[in-house]
Amino acid sequence: QQQQQQQPPPHEAQPLLEGPALSTPGWESKDEDQRLVRIAAAFLNDYEAGQAPTLPPDLINITDLHLHLHSIRFSKLWRIAIVLATACLFVGSCFEGSDEDENWKSYDETYLAERMRRKERIVSFCTVIPVVACLLDICMMAVLFSRRGHTGRLDSLLGADSQHDENGNSTGRNRQASSIPAKPKAKRNKARTSRSFWWAMPVVFFLAVLSVETFVVIRSRTILKRRIWSSLAKPIVLFYVSSRTRNALDALNRVIRIVLRVILIELFLIFTFGCVAVQLFGDDFDSFEGLPTSFLSMFQLSTTVVNPSLWMPVVAEYGRSSSIFFVIFLITSVFYLHSLVLSVVFQSYMDGMAAIREHSALDREENLQLAYEALSECKKDEERRAMVAPTHLIRGALGLLREHYNVTKMDVLMQTVDPFNSGSIDYNAFRMKVPKALNFSVHSVRPRNNISRLLELFAAGAAITNLLYVVMASSSYSSWWWDAAVVPVGFAITLLCLVELVARLVVFKILRAADVVSGTPNSTFDGVAFVAAVTSMVGLALHGTTEYKRAMDCVFTGRAIDMIRCLRLNEEARGIVKRSSEVIPALLGPILLIVSAVHIFTYLGIAIWGGKVVCGANLDLTPFYDLNNFNTYLSGVITLFQVLVVNDWHAIALVFILPGHAATNALVYPFFIIANLALTSVLLNVMIAFFVNAFVTKATAKLLIG
């Protein structure tokens, strides 16, 4: 057996079994022992998730109902259901209000009535499902968190006669009776409550308002005309569902003040350069004729969307010496200030995450204490006058968390916990050895054999054959024999790649072949190969029908996607995919923050310019740029995505300068400047900080292991 250390699993905790996972030596069939082991496994589950204890701290108050609800609420199936319900909530926004079909008012009454009923059913479904799922989750959380509070049992574990001062800190009396260090009581209770209940009440209030408004809109039959404006607050559900998003928001809340100060400094410097530009070039160029216009032009230049088209006419008019001003500005703004904002965000984020990790450490420490208390209830070493945890019960708790481990793997895992087979361990050993065991992944390493070598050659041959086919099919080469063979060859290569995929996933395990380099199953590569195979098979199924063009597109698209399997042959590519699979989950929090910001800005844009932009009406705009509008939710999301990537946002802003709308025209550039700063300067930099920190953390962990 080989032990490979890895990071704790994602924040979603793993499901617990109803009883002992394994029949192991020393396991006692007593109901009370089994109950305490299940309780300990639940606390260790919370430890792995990095969350506060989800069961009452007093073992007497923990019932079978608590354990059953814990196994349901933290099961993979329920977490998937909650994720799908949350996604359904945001999908409902796409069906609110009118479509981009500008002729919908001219349709007959029957068609409009059917269209309205279809939208009402979709919006109702996308509202009822999330409401029911979230309320059930909140009810389960309320039951799990019932009868909480600091209890005498935990005090007895910390020391039977320990006293606390006015700040809630232990005075240390009779600490010799236990090896467990005393924890500040106030901090422990605060860590538990603030991270669990804070978002529950806002979610309940929001869901109530959303349900009432949806009912009113559907009841009044105005779904084609009105929007459900309470949908603006849908990101609240994201913060309730995802702990990573809450951590990202917490980190952002800790750094936002200093980041705003740096952004204000950047805006002030841009304003200063704008004032200078008015004096130097305002008489001859419209882009600098006034202070507001000059500031806007310099801000656009700082985002490089008008570089060098803004200042090349100035150079042509005043000579190359005038370029010194713009070069100095670009160096100051693009190279220095933007890098300064990124560095400040990163450093401030690191400081904020340090506080969050300290917060989480309190929860993890308490989970370990409560798990140890549950296990040590079964045995007490009277001679040492200290509570100890039997290792066979620890094995049972770990077996509940690692139900896919067989007896041999559990033996290897227990060597980490109790290498000397002493039969029991104290708390100091428990808090060091059990987390180490939870961070280990035990897998079998088999010697290479002829089957493994054959699988590796087969995988390489399938990848190269598919690559050659796609290159020839995409080239301009044409002949009678190739035109006749392209479809049969595509069918044969699709079957070849599908057989190779099945061999890796099925035969590999049945024949227990060795771990091969390019043939080892990989969820990323295998998932792409499966999607490619399905796409090509759909095309082959359509071949011979009237959809010949679409059939060929599906076949070639599937084969082109499947070229990714060539990267499996490269060691660096496999390493990048492996590292990315470890890092990408850490980006979930900032990505959902960006999604929340885009959602909010989209609804603000709909409130200001919804339905006011007529596509194709303004011929002075860049062609097709008026498709970036806020007439619908999807159009607004695409528009904000264009702002996020800083691609011609100034030209997109011109779409919303409408004749006869002076009030809304005054909001165009402030809206887009604020959106640019919020999405790009702040949130995108936060995501970069998360990404860099995750890579650094992984590299440091591997260095420590080495």
Side-chain angles (χ1 to χ4, degrees):
Q1 304 293 325
Q2 177 178 343
Q3 295 178 343
Q4 179 182 355
Q5 191 165 5
Q6 63 180 13
Q7 292 297 321
H11 66 285
E12 291 87 358
Q14 302 296 324
L16 300 177
L17 301 180
E18 296 301 324
L22 300 169
S23 177
T24 58
W27 177 269
E28 300 180 15
S29 60
K30 296 180 180 179
D31 293 340
E32 181 62 17
D33 285 0
Q34 294 185 15
R35 188 183 78 88
L36 293 173
V37 167
R38 292 169 61 194
I39 293 173
F43 286 126
L44 292 179
N45 206 27
D46 295 335
Y47 169 86
E48 286 191 290
Q51 62 192 11
T54 53
L55 294 176
D58 197 334
L59 302 182
I60 300 177
N61 291 333
I62 299 177
T63 64
D64 289 338
L65 177 62
H66 286 100
L67 296 175
H68 285 302
L69 290 181
H70 190 282
S71 64
I72 294 174
R73 187 169 185 258
F74 296 105
S75 65
K76 288 184 178 179
L77 184 61
W78 181 252
R79 301 310 300 173
I80 292 174
I82 288 294
V83 170
L84 293 178
T86 305
C88 186
L89 185 68
F90 283 85
V91 169
S93 296
C94 302
F95 298 92
E96 298 174 9
S98 62
D99 299 328
E100 285 189 299
D101 188 356
E102 301 169 2
N103 301 319
W104 70 273
K105 294 182 180 180
S106 61
Y107 297 146
D108 59 80
E109 296 290 337
T110 304
Y111 177 77
L112 286 178
E114 177 60 28
R115 194 174 185 178
M116 181 180 297
R117 284 193 295 269
R118 184 170 62 251
K119 276 199 168 188
E120 288 175 350
R121 288 193 293 266
I122 294 175
V123 172
S124 299
F125 176 83
C126 293
T127 302
V128 172
I129 296 300
V131 167
V132 172
C134 290
L135 290 181
L136 285 176
D137 191 78
I138 291 174
C139 290
M140 286 190 289
M141 182 187 67
V143 174
L144 288 173
F145 277 68
S146 63
R147 303 180 67 179
R148 304 191 64 82
H150 189 65
T151 63
R153 283 298 309 144
L154 194 58
D155 273 334
S156 66
L157 186 64
L158 300 176
D161 299 324
S162 62
Q163 302 293 329
H164 293 85
D165 59 21
E166 59 186 8
N167 296 322
N169 299 322
S170 175
T171 59
R173 182 182 175 186
N174 281 355
R175 290 289 304 282
Q176 68 275 12
S178 174
S179 58
I180 302 178
K183 300 293 292 181
K185 179 175 67 174
K187 287 187 177 181
R188 181 169 56 248
N189 288 333
K190 180 180 180 181
R192 180 188 303 128
T193 57
S194 62
R195 301 180 64 183
S196 303
F197 283 113
W198 200 93
W199 289 100
M201 290 306 299
V203 167
V204 171
F205 179 76
F206 160 71
L207 293 177
V209 175
L210 178 67
S211 301
V212 171
E213 186 177 2
T214 302
F215 176 79
V216 171
V217 171
I218 293 177
R219 189 71 174 175
S220 61
R221 309 302 300 274
T222 57
I223 191 66
L224 293 178
K225 301 177 183 178
R226 292 181 54 185
R227 289 200 167 268
I228 302 175
W229 293 110
S230 58
S231 298
L232 176 69
K234 285 181 178 179
I236 292 177
V237 179
L238 288 179
F239 298 131
Y240 169 75
V241 170
S242 173
S243 62
R244 293 184 185 273
T245 310
R246 293 195 298 270
N247 289 338
L249 182 64
D250 192 4
L252 179 63
N253 183 54
R254 296 172 186 270
V255 307
I256 192 64
R257 291 185 179 179
I258 186 171
V259 171
L260 288 178
R261 294 192 189 105
V262 175
I263 290 178
L264 289 176
I265 293 174
E266 180 182 9
L267 292 177
F268 180 78
L269 291 178
I270 294 175
F271 177 78
T272 302
F273 276 94
C275 293
V276 176
V278 169
Q279 299 299 322
L280 295 179
F281 317 116
D283 296 335
D284 299 320
F285 296 93
D286 295 338
S287 300
F288 307 101
E289 63 178 354
L291 186 56
T293 305
S294 180
F295 171 78
L296 178 61
S297 299
M298 298 306 292
F299 181 82
Q300 292 173 351
L301 184 59
S302 70
T303 61
T304 69
V305 294
V306 292
N307 182 55
S309 59
L310 177 67
W311 54 285
M312 282 294 104
V314 178
V315 174
E317 179 71 20
Y318 289 163
R320 296 187 180 277
S321 59
S322 60
S323 64
I324 297 176
F325 171 81
F326 296 99
V327 170
I328 293 175
F329 173 77
L330 288 172
I331 293 175
T332 304
S333 177
V334 178
F335 298 149
Y336 175 70
L337 289 178
H338 289 183
S339 300
L340 178 64
V341 172
L342 175 59
S343 61
V344 169
V345 169
F346 181 77
Q347 182 60 45
S348 301
Y349 157 77
M350 294 293 289
D351 296 339
M353 286 305 298
I356 293 175
R357 283 192 292 268
E358 181 181 356
H359 194 137
S360 180
L362 293 175
D363 295 332
R364 288 177 177 268
E365 182 68 23
E366 185 173 10
N367 279 312
L368 285 178
Q369 291 180 1
L370 293 172
Y372 180 80
E373 179 186 6
L375 294 173
S376 60
E377 278 288 310
C378 305
K379 180 179 180 180
K380 187 172 182 179
D381 191 338
E382 296 292 347
E383 185 175 331
R384 290 189 298 171
R385 302 184 64 184
M387 302 178 73
V388 294
T391 54
H392 71 277
L393 296 181
I394 298 177
R395 181 188 181 111
L398 294 178
L400 293 174
L401 299 176
R402 301 291 185 264
E403 66 265 21
H404 57 284
Y405 278 16
N406 55 29
V407 175
T408 304
K409 290 185 177 181
M410 287 301 302
D411 290 338
V412 175
L413 202 63
M414 288 305 298
Q415 290 178 6
T416 304
V417 178
D418 188 15
F420 303 106
N421 296 322
S422 60
S424 62
I425 58 176
D426 60 8
Y427 180 72
N428 287 330
F430 183 87
R431 68 192 301 268
M432 290 189 300
K433 298 299 181 63
V434 171
K436 187 177 181 180
L438 292 174
N439 290 341
F440 270 125
S441 176
V442 183
H443 64 275
S444 300
V445 177
R446 308 179 184 94
R448 293 172 62 89
N449 52 32
N450 293 332
I451 296 178
S452 65
R453 296 185 182 93
L454 182 61
L455 285 176
E456 187 172 358
L457 291 175
F458 188 28
I464 295 174
T465 303
N466 181 75
L467 175 63
L468 294 176
Y469 173 78
V470 173
V471 171
M472 288 194 63
S474 303
S475 65
S476 57
Y477 178 78
S478 177
S479 65
W480 65 269
W481 67 270
W482 175 249
D483 294 339
V486 62
V487 175
V489 171
F491 178 74
I493 293 178
T494 300
L495 290 181
L496 177 69
C497 295
L498 189 59
V499 168
E500 188 274 334
L501 177 63
V502 173
R504 240 180 315 108
L505 298 180
V506 180
V507 180
F508 183 89
K509 293 184 177 181
I510 294 178
L511 299 180
R512 301 181 65 83
D515 293 332
V516 295
V517 176
S518 60
T520 305
N522 181 281
S523 58
T524 301
F525 288 119
D526 295 338
V528 173
F530 178 77
V531 171
V534 170
T535 304
S536 294
M537 293 301 291
V538 169
L540 294 172
L542 293 176
H543 182 64
T545 64
T546 57
E547 300 288 341
Y548 179 80
K549 178 64 169 59
R550 180 174 296 179
M552 291 298 95
D553 290 342
C554 289
V555 173
F556 295 146
T557 300
R559 294 304 88 220
I561 294 174
D562 209 16
M563 287 195 300
I564 299 296
R565 67 170 58 235
C566 293
L567 295 178
R568 184 193 293 275
L569 307 177
N570 184 268
E571 183 179 357
E572 286 75 13
R574 293 196 301 270
I576 291 174
V577 170
K578 181 180 179 181
R579 180 67 65 86
S580 298
S581 64
E582 298 171 348
V583 171
I584 288 178
L587 299 180
L588 179 63
I591 288 175
L592 291 181
L593 273 185
I594 294 177
V595 170
S596 301
V598 168
H599 176 86
I600 293 173
F601 276 106
T602 297
Y603 268 89
L604 293 178
I606 291 174
I608 301 174
W609 298 289
K612 295 181 180 180
V613 175
V614 180
C615 297
N618 191 348
L619 301 180
D620 295 331
L621 298 174
T622 305
F624 306 111
Y625 269 40
D626 50 7
L627 294 176
N628 296 289
N629 54 61
F630 292 101
N631 293 343
T632 65
Y633 180 78
L634 285 179
S635 297
V637 170
I638 294 174
T639 301
L640 268 300
F641 179 78
Q642 304 283 14
V643 176
L644 178 64
V645 297
V646 201
N647 183 32
D648 280 356
W649 67 267
H650 67 299
I652 296 175
L654 295 175
V655 174
F656 303 95
I657 304 295
L658 305 173
H661 294 78
T664 58
N665 290 346
L667 299 175
V668 172
Y669 283 110
F671 176 86
F672 279 91
I673 289 176
I674 293 174
N676 183 282
L677 293 174
L679 295 177
T680 305
S681 298
V682 179
L683 295 180
L684 192 59
N685 285 334
V686 167
M687 188 177 71
I688 294 174
F690 267 74
F691 189 81
V692 173
N693 179 66
F695 260 94
V696 170
T697 302
K698 291 295 181 182
T700 303
K702 291 183 179 295
L703 181 62
L704 292 175
I705 294 172

